Amino acid sequence: MTSVEREAVSRVTVGSSAGEYPVYVGCGGLDGIAGYLATHAEAHRYAIISDHTVAPLYGQRVMSACMSAGYGAAIYTFPAGEESKTRNSWSILTDELLGDGHGRDTVVIAVGGGVTGDLAGFVAATYLRGIPVVQVPTSYLAMIDASVGGKTGLDVRAGKNLVGAFHSPRCVIADPTVLGTLPESERAQGLVEAFKHGAILDAAYLDTLVADVPDLLAAAPAVAARAVLHSVRLKADVVTRDELEGGYRQILNFGHTLGHAIEAASDYQLGHGAAVAVGMLLETQLGEELGVTEAGTESGLRNALATLGFDASSCGHVDVEKALSYLLSDKKARSGRPRYVLLRRLGETLEGDGWSREVPDDAVRDVLSGLQ
Amino acid sequence: MTSVEREAVSRVTVGSSAGEYPVYVGCGGLDGIAGYLATHAEAHRYAIISDHTVAPLYGQRVMSACMSAGYGAAIYTFPAGEESKTRNSWSILTDELLGDGHGRDTVVIAVGGGVTGDLAGFVAATYLRGIPVVQVPTSYLAMIDASVGGKTGLDVRAGKNLVGAFHSPRCVIADPTVLGTLPESERAQGLVEAFKHGAILDAAYLDTLVADVPDLLAAAPAVAARAVLHSVRLKADVVTRDELEGGYRQILNFGHTLGHAIEAASDYQLGHGAAVAVGMLLETQLGEELGVTEAGTESGLRNALATLGFDASSCGHVDVEKALSYLLSDKKARSGRPRYVLLRRLGETLEGDGWSREVPDDAVRDVLSGLQ
């Protein structure tokens, strides 16, 4: 990769209470990592955290880049998969870093998908009361969604991401050339979050995504880079306006109230992307039935998601009672009642009380029952 | 307690990146808790966290105050003692809160000493990625030191407070009338931190403390309130200037580099206050031997601490090699080297590179060896 080609890397700035941080999006970004570290996260040593699948592919590459730039670096790995996003993995990783004597002058580099970003981010958030982290997302989901906004978290018995912290990265390096090694099913699931960005904020973007689906699923680098960049810009704008999810940021939960409930009701056998796709369809139907979402919005969204291979049947059989009981424990609940982000139309979210609202239980039961 | 008497409660404002918060210091403050909650931390429900010793004394009292003011409240307890400041206690408490369906509209109230503040603070810092906490310190150590500055933390195998987070409270309520139930040995240990504030910042305060020692050890409310208030003001000023311990805040680590090493070398059999008292004496001696601390400073500090019952023999036998090996893993280390806060004279700290400095290993070995 020459420096001319690397000029294709774009920089998006995200605001946070701890200061701004840049997200670099573009093909070849990973080759420039030593420079980004020198600029944004110079450290005595780097602790690279990656899973057993990604470490041999990209973790080692990041470590080599650090070392050839003269930095100390060590790699810490854990078994791939959501099963690793636990307090136990967090304990093991923090103990390993402590055992190796990492001090406050160490920076964590998270290299991997959403699980790695969440787990390594929580390690960094809590190690010695917080050390810096650089995020190197390697999946669509992590590039499009997880790497922007500073959320970190662990899954516990009661549900996913129920412990964690907001911990903004020093910088994010999203290089779509790495998406070629991602399994195709994960590509489709990750792209659901991009479709969500279109649905809540930008109808023209949703149209572009639909047109680009074949290239996106094939991880064609230039097309993937364009989508990642657009989603990062949209999300960065939301997160900058509302870092801690007090109000406007809630729009990013579109599709997630019912999506999480469906995912939980499946005992997490269902993929996150598929669950959110169905959640978006149901929440749009809910809005139409409540008369606040323009008629035809759900069918437009349904046509869009179908190009990715998702429809209302994507979640298989749903245990409605189990999903409803999960809703009452949803962490976005206020005063024990679940809240919903609803669309006005494709590309536009309804501003309610804090950008989300309660809806009658019967209406929720109706749309969930329609899945049977 | 009448409202006239309650006017004796003083308010100190602490700055933090998440906004300012007040520390209320004064006799009768606890009686006004419902009002402070309404003003600073109104919530759907309160989760009161306290240990088995303090819960029956003050946890229940806080819960009653919440409930008679019409708030929902529940109490969560754990076994008293430093042994509870673990990942395991944190897991149990977060699972209990999740089991009871606490949402983002719950506020944690930490009622107890330093362990409770650290543990409950870390629960709040990480529960659903962070919910508010109100600190109700019930020991000298917690009032004087732990409740100001937003530090939370857990002990792990490698040492104390090595995982944690900065999480500023919504408010702190320090009511010295509760100190009467604190064991006298803990009173002396906690007061060491007040002596530290005098040593690094305010020689006249150190003189006042020495004169007040009998009343302070007896927990005479008005005298205790005056000392707590002065220490809180001094510490609040430091923390406001440097929340995240990047520079000036390091002066609060005076006595702690060697104090932690001595504590660790004793396998934590030694009390924190005693270890810090000896650490302050040794670090002052170190400064004198390096020619940067005025001659006579150590003897002045020694005379002051003697009134509390501490001297160089307070730590008993110290395994010097074990203490030295601990120093190399000290979390304040930069580039693997321990750093020391040194005095110019009593009441004045030397400004070095970031208010702390490296010193030759031989000099450290010399002062530690003097303990034998």
Side-chain angles (χ1 to χ4, degrees), chain A residues 49 78 85 108 110-124 133-137 142 146-147 150-153 167:
Chain A
I49 299 180
F78 60 91
K85 226 176 89 175
V108 169
V111 183
V115 167
T116 303
D118 279 358
L119 175 60
F122 191 61
V123 169
V133 64
V134 169
Q135 293 279 358
V136 181
S147 67
K151 283 188 178 182
T152 72
H167 190 58

Side-chain angles (χ1 to χ4, degrees), chain B residues 29-34 37 46-50 54-69 71-75 107-112 134-138 173 175 178:
Chain B
L30 205 52
D31 295 314
I33 189 162
L37 294 177
Y46 294 93
I48 298 160
I49 299 181
S50 194
V54 175
L57 293 168
Y58 304 112
Q60 294 293 343
R61 191 166 141 200
V62 169
M63 187 157 81
S64 303
C66 289
M67 297 181 86
S68 45
Y71 297 118
I75 192 159
V107 169
V108 169
I109 308 179
V111 183
V134 169
Q135 292 280 357
V136 181
T138 62
I173 301 153
D175 181 343
V178 308

Side-chain angles (χ1 to χ4, degrees), chain B:
Chain B
M1 184 76 44
T2 68
S3 62
V4 176
E5 287 171 284
R6 201 176 303 149
E7 282 169 17
V9 176
S10 301
R11 177 186 165 128
V12 182
T13 301
V14 184
S16 88
S17 59
E20 297 183 339
Y21 61 92
V23 181
Y24 294 100
V25 181
C27 301
L30 205 52
D31 295 314
I33 189 162
Y36 298 130
L37 294 177
T39 306
H40 302 292
E42 187 131 50
H44 179 56
R45 275 200 288 173
Y46 294 93
I48 298 160
I49 299 181
S50 194
D51 71 31
H52 291 167
T53 304
V54 175
L57 293 168
Y58 304 112
Q60 294 293 343
R61 191 166 141 200
V62 169
M63 187 157 81
S64 303
C66 289
M67 297 181 86
S68 45
Y71 297 118
I75 192 159
Y76 301 87
T77 60
F78 60 91
E82 186 85 25
E83 312 79 70
S84 282
K85 226 176 89 175
T86 59
R87 293 179 180 123
N88 188 48
S89 302
W90 166 75
S91 300
I92 291 169
L93 286 165
T94 49
D95 281 344
E96 285 178 350
L97 266 66
L98 287 166
D100 286 353
H102 287 284
R104 287 198 179 149
D105 45 9
T106 284
V107 169
V108 169
I109 308 179
V111 183
V115 167
T116 303
D118 279 358
L119 174 60
F122 191 61
V123 169
T126 56
Y127 189 77
L128 305 179
R129 298 201 185 92
I131 61 174
V133 65
V134 169
Q135 292 280 357
V136 181
T138 62
S139 71
Y140 267 128
L141 181 69
M143 289 189 194
I144 287 171
D145 190 46
S147 67
V148 180
K151 283 188 178 181
T152 73
L154 303 178
D155 301 337
V156 297
R157 202 176 46 223
K160 287 187 170 193
N161 297 312
L162 296 183
V163 299
F166 285 92
H167 189 59
S168 291
R170 284 289 182 87
C171 68
V172 180
I173 301 153
D175 181 343
T177 60
V178 308
L179 293 168
T181 50
L182 190 68
E184 187 163 328
S185 67
E186 285 197 38
R187 293 181 201 167
Q189 303 246 1
L191 286 165
V192 168
E193 296 289 340
F195 278 59
K196 181 193 77 181
H197 292 151
I200 58 176
L201 287 165
D202 188 340
Y205 176 47
L206 189 60
D207 291 340
T208 305
L209 287 168
V210 167
D212 286 342
V213 156
D215 284 343
L216 290 169
L217 287 177
V223 179
R226 201 164 58 213
V228 170
L229 179 60
H230 200 86
S231 266
V232 164
R233 281 190 174 137
L234 289 173
K235 184 163 182 187
D237 177 58
V238 172
V239 167
T240 300
R241 285 169 63 178
D242 177 25
E243 186 188 8
L244 300 181
E245 212 163 31
Y248 183 58
R249 185 172 176 158
Q250 290 181 66
I251 68 168
L252 297 170
N253 289 326
F254 172 59
H256 282 64
T257 305
L258 290 180
H260 282 152
I262 290 168
E263 211 179 345
S266 80
D267 291 326
Y268 297 99
Q269 295 308 298
L270 194 63
H272 180 71
V276 169
V278 176
M280 290 198 292
L281 291 173
L282 295 186
E283 291 179 13
T284 308
Q285 187 187 336
L286 195 58
E288 289 194 30
E289 288 181 10
L290 294 169
V292 296
T293 303
E294 277 182 14
T297 306
E298 193 270 348
S299 89
L301 186 58
R302 186 158 17 104
N303 292 337
L305 286 167
T307 63
L308 267 188
F310 295 111
D311 61 28
S313 73
S314 299
C315 56
H317 170 76
V318 172
D319 182 333
V320 173
E321 294 310 316
K322 199 167 168 184
L324 286 167
S325 81
Y326 174 84
L327 281 172
L328 293 176
S329 70
D330 190 86
K331 65 180 168 161
K332 290 178 295 301
R334 282 196 222 152
S335 312
R337 295 274 303 150
R339 299 179 69 84
Y340 295 82
V341 174
L342 299 176
L343 301 182
R344 182 184 305 280
R345 61 180 72 86
L346 284 182
E348 197 177 332
T349 310
L350 274 165
E351 182 171 357
D353 163 23
W355 296 93
S356 68
R357 64 190 66 209
E358 295 183 19
V359 305
D361 289 339
D362 286 351
V364 175
R365 184 183 292 272
D366 279 353
V367 298
L368 277 172
S369 300
L371 290 175
Q372 308 267 312

